[in-house]
Amino acid sequence: MARAVVTGGAGFIGSHLVDRLMAEGWQVVVIDNLITGRLENLQHLMGRDGFQFLQHDVCEPFDIEGPVDYVFHLASTASPVDFVKHPIETLRVGSYGTENALQLALHKGAKFLFSSTSEVYGDPLVHPQAEDYWGNVNPIGVRGVYDEAKRYAESLVMAYHRYKGADTRIVRIFNTYGERMRLDDGRVVPNFVCQALRGEPITVYGDGSQTRSFGYVSDLIEGIWRLAHSDYHEPLNIGNPEERTILEFAQMIKRLTGSSSPIVFQEFFTPDDPKQRCPDITRARQILGWEPKVSLEEGLLRTIEYFRVRLAPGDATSAPA
Ligand code: UDP
């Protein structure tokens, strides 16, 4: 039976990956310091055979007892609100955290997968973004703590692969949404859906002409699963090329929730907000035979249902407004 360590396994994407690994019969050890992850995401696994949770900051050295076959390094803040609130932690988890996770993989003879991001492309000058585009990042901007941490981490992973023989993979994750996103994480999906469901104004930043391409979490997990079993070592984009302006996205959420919320325009939350983002997924198609299966509308309907339950009065798990 295979045994995986998942750093950041209490987070939105991490917990879905843990579910997949457990469903495939793997044993899983989650390491998470719970800065942005939540135990609630793993509650259904607590006490289950083959599942273990360790509350630990991966920036501090750690060891795991027993054999480890795979290290999935997902620990990081991921929302602009979170990386502005935790800038140093964001830089540290990309640097110290990634090195500690790589050291664990080397020492255990385990394979390694790193979750990178479309933010390595910054505010891209090339569209759509293919993996061979080097990006346009402001290193000293407020988003730089996340972008540069991930860029450094990719560099570190490739150096461990080239010079130490580590068996590594890098997934560049584009905007992903679905159940278990935090209601208050500040990203566009929870913000717009919660605003629409509460009948509050839907806050479009800027003029809403910036674009994003949203992928549903189950498609991402399938892509990660396939990449983990491939022998491909260079970065690989996983995302859904269904691109929308943020204004169109606000209108779509309004329609799907049946909300009468007004759409209002506000200042950008951060400078350097990327103007266009869409993955070129040719590489994922060719190497993994992967492509997204869940349409934006279908994925959003499932996500809206999740938030609707969480926002219902009397739900013990609902977050404060
Ligand atoms: N955004 C918005 N209103 C919000 C939250 C986000 O208009 O309440 C915009 C944000 O400026 C960006 C896009 O939605 O252009 C996606 O933002 P998010 O924070 O989800 O992720 P990003 O892709 O910027 O990391």
Side-chain angles (χ1 to χ4, degrees):
M1 189 190 280
R3 187 164 183 250
V5 168
V6 181
T7 78
F12 158 51
I13 293 172
S15 64
H16 283 281
L17 177 63
V18 172
D19 278 346
R20 174 67 182 262
L21 294 168
M22 296 286 293
E24 298 281 351
W26 291 42
Q27 297 187 341
V28 178
V29 181
V30 166
I31 307 182
D32 202 303
N33 65 356
L34 302 178
I35 284 195
T36 57
R38 294 174 305 162
L39 276 186
E40 181 195 323
N41 291 339
L42 299 171
Q43 214 58 58
H44 57 292
L45 297 174
M46 294 295 178
R48 272 244 320 248
D49 266 1
F51 177 76
Q52 206 184 334
F53 174 77
L54 298 175
Q55 185 167 349
H56 179 78
D57 180 353
V58 289
C59 300
E60 304 303 326
F62 59 93
D63 197 9
I64 301 288
E65 261 180 52
V68 176
D69 303 290
Y70 223 116
V71 176
F72 293 89
H73 178 45
L74 274 68
S76 180
T77 60
S79 151
V81 167
D82 291 334
F83 53 72
V84 165
K85 192 163 152 202
H86 304 289
I88 311 295
E89 290 85 346
T90 300
L91 284 160
R92 285 176 57 91
V93 76
S95 51
Y96 298 108
T98 302
E99 187 143 26
N100 286 337
L102 279 163
Q103 287 284 0
L104 177 73
L106 263 191
H107 154 71
K108 295 287 187 183
K111 295 182 178 181
F112 183 90
L113 184 142
F114 172 62
S115 64
S116 187
T117 167
S118 54
E119 281 277 331
V120 299
Y121 303 120
D123 186 5
L125 305 175
V126 164
H127 195 75
Q129 293 83 52
E131 291 86 346
D132 56 6
Y133 175 51
W134 293 350
N136 177 41
V137 171
N138 174 1
I140 58 161
V142 291
R143 296 177 83 100
V145 294
Y146 183 65
D147 304 8
E148 297 293 11
K150 291 289 189 181
R151 288 165 67 96
Y152 170 83
E154 284 197 4
S155 184
L156 191 67
V157 170
M158 289 309 296
Y160 265 70
H161 173 64
R162 290 193 182 109
Y163 305 113
K164 288 182 182 276
D167 191 357
T168 60
R169 285 131 197 92
I170 299 173
V171 57
R172 288 189 181 149
I173 301 174
F174 281 66
N175 292 68
T176 304
Y177 68 96
E179 295 88 336
R180 299 189 191 150
M181 292 190 96
R182 268 176 27 233
L183 276 70
D184 62 349
D185 91 353
R187 279 184 283 193
V188 70
V189 173
N191 273 13
F192 283 5
V193 173
C194 291
Q195 289 162 346
L197 290 175
R198 288 180 175 133
E200 294 169 359
I202 299 177
T203 55
V204 168
Y205 300 158
D207 63 5
S209 63
Q210 71 273 30
T211 71
R212 292 294 186 275
S213 308
F214 296 96
Y216 186 62
V217 65
S218 62
D219 280 331
L220 169 69
I221 297 300
E222 180 62 27
I224 290 179
W225 176 255
R226 290 188 192 197
L227 178 62
H229 290 88
S230 79
D231 281 324
Y232 193 72
H233 300 294
E234 295 198 1
L236 187 135
N237 289 341
I238 296 285
N240 188 329
E242 237 188 290
E243 185 179 3
R244 294 278 192 290
T245 69
I246 291 301
L247 182 56
E248 284 168 353
F249 192 60
Q251 288 157 345
M252 186 172 181
I253 295 215
K254 203 175 142 155
R255 176 173 59 82
L256 294 178
T257 51
S259 171
S260 54
S261 290
I263 293 176
V264 299
F265 296 89
Q266 292 188 353
E267 284 296 298
F268 278 108
F269 178 71
T270 65
D272 308 320
D273 193 296
K275 285 183 257 326
Q276 273 190 309
R277 183 183 289 155
C278 181
D280 180 329
I281 57 166
T282 310
R283 199 177 270 188
R285 280 201 173 99
Q286 282 171 352
I287 291 170
L288 308 180
W290 174 91
E291 60 182 11
K293 297 271 180 273
V294 181
S295 71
L296 184 56
E297 180 150 336
E298 190 185 342
L300 276 177
L301 285 171
R302 291 187 208 170
T303 308
I304 288 167
E305 200 39 46
Y306 170 78
F307 284 124
R308 204 188 291 278
V309 171
R310 298 284 314 275
L311 288 176
D315 185 300
T317 61
S318 58

